[in-house]
Structures are given as C-alpha cells and as structure tokens.
Amino acid sequence: MTSLIFCVEPGVLYSQAVLLAESVNRYTAGFFNQMYAFSPRQNHQLNPVEKQKLKQLGVKLIDEPLNTQYLDYPIANKILACSWAEQNLADEQLLMVDTDTIFLRPPEALTAAGVDVFLRPVDRPGQASLGPGSTHENYWQKAHQLCQIPAPEERVKTGVNLVPIRPYFNAGFVAYRRQLNLSDSWLQLLDTLRSHDHHPNNPRCLDQVTLAIATTDWSREVLPHTYNYPLPLRSRMEDPAMQKLQLDDLVHVHYHRWFQKPGFLDLLNPKLLPSEPLDWLYTRLPIEPLLDDHFPH
C-alpha cells in the first residue's frame, strides 16, 4: 500500500491542501491507504476549523514540531515529513507531493515491481548540468565530491523542452520504498552542502539537487509526462503531443500558484477541451488568496 504525504500551513497552503485532498477522493479510487498532511513548524499550525475540514476529507494531520533546525528553509518540511513517515508508518511505499498539485487519475505506474524510487525530471534545465563544459557542470561535480558520491554518467530529459541533463529531478513528486529511509541520506546531504555554503544559483533548488544525489545508486524509474504535468508551461512544451494533452489524459498536475488566478484555465494554450475534470475545476477555482499577477501565455 501507498501513503500520500504533503505539507500544510495557514494561508495558501491550506487552500491547496483542501483541493489536493478533494482530488484524491474524487479521482484516485482508493489507491492510497491514507493521506497525511504535515505542519512541522511551530506557530504555523492550522486553526480548529481548518483541521476539521481536512479531517472530513480523510486527511490525518501531523502537527508535531518536526522542523526546529531548518526554520529558515521551510522546503525541508517535506523531508522531515518523510522522516516521520518512515519511522511511524507501515506502508511499503510513500509518495510525497507538493501541495500545489492535484490528482486526476490513480497513479498506477507506481505499482511497477523492482523500483526503488519513481521521479519526474525538472521541467527546464535551470540549475542542471548538460554535461562537461556546460554552465553548471562544476557546481554538480563539486556537489557530488562534497557528498562523496560519484556523479553518474546517465542522462534524463527535462520535462518541458526535452534537453538531456545529468540526473536532476523535481521534488514535487517523489514515490519510494519506505524501508530505504530516503530522508536520512537526503537530510545528511542537505546538511553537507549547506555547511559548505554550496548552494545552486537558486538556493530553493537545494532539495532537488540533494534528492538527485541521494538516489544516485537506487533503481530509479522516470515517470511519463502525464505525472507532475506542469500545466502553466503547457504552451512551452517542445513536444506538440504534450501540449495537447487534456485534463482527463493526466494523472497528476502541478499548477504552482496559478490556480489562485481568476480565469486561469481559460488562458491556457492550447485550450483545454470540455471534460469532467475541467467542469470540476471550474467549480473549485480560483482558490484563495486570489492572485492578480499577469500570466505569461
């Protein structure tokens, strides 16, 4: 069985968590044994009404103060949530997702045998290395050296523009075998690079750098592009077939902040065709707090 893990705090994360839980209940047909929402930072807990709402949706809330060491880096909340789950749950598989995501079909690909971890590549190269001579190659080589894990020779293709890069994965969808205790090595490597002040140009990506290094020697399965599908980048996808995918083709959608923008779904190009998931989202969006930013078509 698989347990689903995500993080929640007051404000937009709460609105996202409600939508995520509703999507799980509506579209995954009991695939998950249980949903767990974590609020690991003190003074960032939900109020009683919010807690009750998640309970009604079948979510178990863990609001223990798990994050005391990384208060300046709340992205570590997800790793600490995984650590708690590894120690306290019995499910064979854990799936940690970013809260700004929804499910539209059961993630059946996660049932494949003999796989340690299921991942999606980053959407665009960003902090990635394209190999020897590329902009970020020295950063990655030193990161592997500091972590004492040799850099692999394999390549993966970015999710949007299909550029071959050294393994570098989006931390918004990570499914793995619980008994492998991913969080131990993930946190250790995070501490190592932080202690050496070896951050990528975007420090918020350090969790993704260390995720790639921590799973170097694991059996990694790269999931198809229907998983962690970056809906706001639809028009920028290199493959026209990926651009034209409809909501009912997708398993899991990463929308980032854009579900807060009124009318967002109608701004997408190519247009979304009528479907049951689209009708459902029209009834649920926008989520609060509302976003007034310009969406770059």
Side-chain angles (χ1 to χ4, degrees):
M1 296 293 290
T2 302
S3 278
L4 180 65
I5 297 168
F6 52 92
C7 293
V8 62
E9 291 182 348
V12 66
L13 277 181
Y14 169 71
S15 298
Q16 293 171 348
V18 169
L19 187 67
L20 172 57
E22 289 176 341
S23 76
V24 168
N25 290 334
R26 189 177 185 92
Y27 293 111
T28 65
F31 182 91
F32 298 107
N33 185 37
Q34 180 64 54
M35 291 184 279
Y36 292 88
F38 288 79
S39 298
R41 295 193 295 172
Q42 280 189 330
N43 303 319
H44 290 78
Q45 278 86 24
L46 304 180
N47 64 43
V49 173
E50 293 169 333
K51 291 180 180 180
Q52 182 61 26
K53 175 63 175 179
L54 289 181
K55 182 178 180 180
Q56 291 171 350
L57 290 169
V59 179
K60 288 190 176 180
L61 179 64
I62 310 297
D63 57 2
E64 302 174 18
L66 304 176
N67 186 356
T68 58
Q69 185 179 353
Y70 305 94
L71 296 177
D72 63 329
Y73 192 70
I75 293 177
N77 285 350
K78 66 177 68 174
I79 311 176
L80 296 165
C82 289
S83 178
W84 185 97
E86 291 163 9
Q87 298 170 39
N88 291 280
L89 302 184
D91 292 304
E92 180 180 349
Q93 186 179 67
L94 303 176
L95 170 56
M96 187 280 301
V97 298
D98 279 354
T99 316
D100 56 343
T101 66
I102 58 171
F103 285 88
L104 296 177
R105 295 172 66 183
E108 299 289 352
L110 303 187
T111 62
V115 177
D116 293 334
V117 59
F118 297 86
L119 299 159
R120 278 294 297 158
V122 293
D123 295 329
R124 294 179 285 193
Q127 312 296 309
S129 168
L130 280 63
S134 66
T135 303
H136 300 295
E137 175 70 0
N138 289 341
Y139 172 83
W140 279 88
Q141 289 294 343
K142 184 175 179 181
H144 276 274
Q145 180 182 6
L146 291 171
C147 295
Q148 300 182 35
I149 297 175
E153 293 301 321
E154 66 180 294
R155 297 289 188 271
V156 298
K157 289 185 177 181
T158 56
V160 171
N161 46 8
L162 305 180
V163 175
I165 59 172
R166 290 194 182 277
Y168 182 33
F169 303 99
N170 191 294
F173 190 105
V174 183
Y176 66 99
R177 292 198 290 126
R178 179 185 57 82
Q179 292 182 337
L180 292 173
N181 295 324
L182 170 61
S183 67
D184 289 347
S185 54
W186 199 353
L187 279 174
Q188 181 182 5
L189 300 183
L190 189 75
D191 288 340
T192 296
L193 296 190
R194 280 166 59 95
S195 68
H196 287 85
D197 197 26
H198 191 63
H199 294 85
N201 290 348
N202 181 354
R204 290 174 55 85
C205 296
L206 188 61
D207 64 318
Q208 299 192 147
V209 171
T210 47
L211 171 64
I213 298 175
T215 58
T216 295
D217 296 325
W218 289 24
S219 169
R220 296 190 289 209
E221 178 80 12
V222 175
L223 290 163
H225 49 254
T226 51
Y227 287 73
N228 208 47
Y229 183 85
L231 192 60
L233 298 177
R234 180 177 178 83
S235 66
R236 306 182 193 183
M237 293 181 175
E238 185 71 21
D239 184 349
M242 291 168 58
Q243 286 188 10
K244 295 176 183 177
L245 287 172
Q246 299 300 314
L247 292 180
D248 47 11
D249 296 319
L250 303 175
V251 176
H252 176 260
V253 170
H254 206 147
Y255 58 85
H256 302 282
R257 60 198 174 110
W258 291 106
F259 276 8
Q260 298 169 249
K261 182 174 178 62
F264 164 70
L265 296 175
D266 295 324
L267 298 175
L268 290 169
N269 183 37
K271 296 291 186 183
L272 293 174
L273 300 178
S275 67
E276 194 279 337
L278 182 60
D279 290 342
W280 175 69
L281 282 174
Y282 276 138
T283 70
R284 299 294 294 111
L285 301 185
I287 60 175
E288 296 182 343
L290 299 183
L291 180 70
D292 172 14
D293 293 9
H294 170 71
F295 176 66
H297 295 254

